[in-house]
Amino acid sequence: MDDIELRNIQLQFPQARTMSREDSQLHEERVETGRGSVVVAVQGNRSRPAILTYHDLGLNYVSGYQTFFNYIDMRALLENFCVYHVTAPGQEEGAPTLPEDFVYPTMDELSDQLSFVLSHFGLRSVIGFGVGAGANVLARYALAHPGKIEALCIINCVSTQAGWIEWGYQKLNTRHLRSKGMTQGVLDYLMWHHFGRGTEERNHDLVQVYRNYFERHVNPTNLALFIDSYIRRTDLNIVREMDPGRKNNTHTLSMPVINITGALSPHVDDTVTLNGRLDPTNSTWMKIQDCGMVLEEQPAKVSEAFRLFLQGQGYVAPLTENKMANYRRASLEALDVVSKLQTQTPAPHWSASNINITENPISEAVVC
C-alpha cells in the first residue's frame, strides 16, 4: 500500500458561536398583559404570515431559537414569514429579579398572555412553534382558541401533569435556585432535560456552550418561578375520538399538528403519549435519530420537516433543488466575505462558547 502525504492542509477555527441579543434583524417590544409584561422579539416582515414561538425551561428566544432560525434552510423559508418570539416573564437575558411578592402566572395564565400578544401586533392567527414548556403553553392556547392557531409544531411536548419523580426533582431544583443559585445539581438536570444522556460524547462543544449559558446568563430566582409553574401544570385533557359523528364535540387539537422529538431525548415517551391522544388524521409524530435537543443537533432535519409541514398546509410553494442550492451558495458566499474580513483583524480569543455544528449525514428522520 502506497503512503499518501497530505500537504497544504489549512487549519481553520470553527465559526464563533455566541448567544447574543445584538441581532439587527430582531426588534424587541415589551407587551403588557393581564398578568405582567412579556418581551416579544420580532424577526422579519410584519406583513407576512406570523409564526409564534415559545421557549423551554432555562431558555429564552435567544438561546432557544437563534441558531435554528439563522440556519441557512430556515432563512430561505422565513422570507415568507414573520416570527414573533415570546419570552416568559422574567426569562429574558439580563432580566431583573422578580419581586418577592410576585405571583408567577400558571401555565393557563401564560397561555392567556398570548391573546394580548396577538392583539398588540394585530394578528388574527398564527402558526405555533414551541419546545418543551413552551409547547405546552402553545397547546393550551390552541385548545382555548382553536381559531387563532392555524398550525402547530411542538417539540418534546408533555400533555400530562407532572409525575412524582419529576415533581420531586424539580422541587429540589427550585429550592436550590432560590437559596444557592445555579448549583451543579440544577445544571446537570437542565442539561439532561434538554439533551438527554451521553451529550458529552455526541457534541462536547455544544455542551460547554449551554453549561456556560446556564451558569452566567440565567436569573436563578426567575427560573425557579417558571419551573414551579411548569410542575404545577394540569393535564391537557385531550382525547382521541375515532367516531366521526362525535369528533366535533371532542376536546382535542383541531388544527394540523407535527409532534417532534429526538431519539435520545428524555421526553420521547411523553410525545408518544401525546401522539396517542391526538387525531391521527391531522397529526404527525416524528422522531429524529442521534440527537436529544433537535433544534441544535439536527437543524437540517427539523427545518426540512417544518418546511414540508407548511407546504402541506399551503403556506409556501415547494422549493426546487436549484433554488435551494442557489440560496445556500449565496449564503455561503456571504459567510466567506465575513470570514475574509475577520482574517484582516487580530486573531480572537477562542472561548469554550465557540462551536462548530456539523450535520451527521448518516442520521435519518423516522416518521410514524
Side-chain angles (χ1 to χ4, degrees), residues 286-326:
M286 179 177 183
K287 182 172 72 173
I288 302 179
Q289 299 297 329
D290 301 327
C291 67
M293 193 176 189
V294 295
L295 297 187
E296 287 284 0
E297 298 183 79
Q298 294 286 7
K301 302 296 183 184
V302 181
S303 61
E304 180 181 10
F306 189 50
R307 175 171 57 85
L308 294 174
F309 175 64
L310 294 179
Q311 286 180 10
Q313 312 310 318
Y315 289 105
V316 292
L319 295 175
T320 63
E321 291 296 327
N322 289 337
K323 185 175 181 179
M324 283 303 303
N326 292 336

Side-chain angles (χ1 to χ4, degrees), residues 13-190:
F13 286 105
Q15 186 179 353
R17 161 70 191 279
T18 59
M19 295 182 183
S20 173
R21 299 169 68 184
E22 298 177 0
D23 190 336
S24 59
Q25 297 180 350
L26 273 72
H27 173 70
E28 287 187 4
E29 292 189 27
R30 184 168 289 276
V31 179
E32 294 295 332
T33 72
R35 289 297 310 275
S37 62
V38 295
V39 173
V40 181
V42 185
Q43 178 180 3
N45 187 340
R46 299 193 185 192
S47 64
R48 304 289 188 182
I51 296 176
L52 186 77
T53 73
Y54 213 109
H55 58 88
D56 201 357
L57 299 176
L59 305 177
N60 50 50
Y61 80 88
V62 177
S63 52
Y65 293 110
Q66 183 184 66
T67 303
F68 178 68
F69 281 96
N70 284 334
Y71 187 69
I72 292 178
D73 289 13
M74 282 303 296
R75 287 162 59 188
L77 176 66
L78 293 180
E79 288 184 345
N80 302 313
F81 295 92
C82 181
V83 187
Y84 298 82
H85 300 284
V86 180
T87 300
Q91 307 305 309
E92 65 271 14
E93 188 173 332
T97 301
L98 295 171
E100 292 185 4
D101 59 347
F102 180 79
V103 179
Y104 205 84
T106 64
M107 295 299 287
D108 287 323
E109 290 170 339
L110 288 174
S111 68
D112 290 340
Q113 289 181 330
L114 299 182
S115 294
F116 293 89
V117 173
L118 268 66
S119 177
H120 177 85
F121 293 102
L123 303 174
R124 295 183 178 179
S125 60
V126 297
I127 299 166
F129 193 106
V131 180
N136 188 278
V137 171
L138 285 173
R140 291 175 187 275
Y141 185 76
L143 289 169
H145 308 276
K148 297 289 187 179
I149 302 292
E150 298 184 7
L152 192 59
C153 177
I154 46 181
I155 300 172
N156 294 336
C157 183
V158 181
S159 62
T160 59
Q161 63 183 16
W164 285 110
I165 296 178
E166 179 189 2
W167 188 89
Y169 270 108
Q170 293 286 36
K171 269 297 182 182
L172 186 63
N173 289 338
T174 57
R175 183 182 305 173
H176 287 169
L177 286 168
R178 289 190 177 101
S179 60
K180 303 177 182 179
M182 186 63 68
T183 64
Q184 185 62 42
V186 177
L187 185 60
D188 290 341
Y189 189 92
L190 284 174

Side-chain angles (χ1 to χ4, degrees), residues 239-247 250 252 277-280:
V239 294
R240 172 181 290 187
E241 179 57 66
M242 301 306 298
D243 184 357
R246 301 175 59 183
K247 280 189 176 181
T250 302
T252 188
R277 305 173 77 179
L278 295 175
D279 186 346

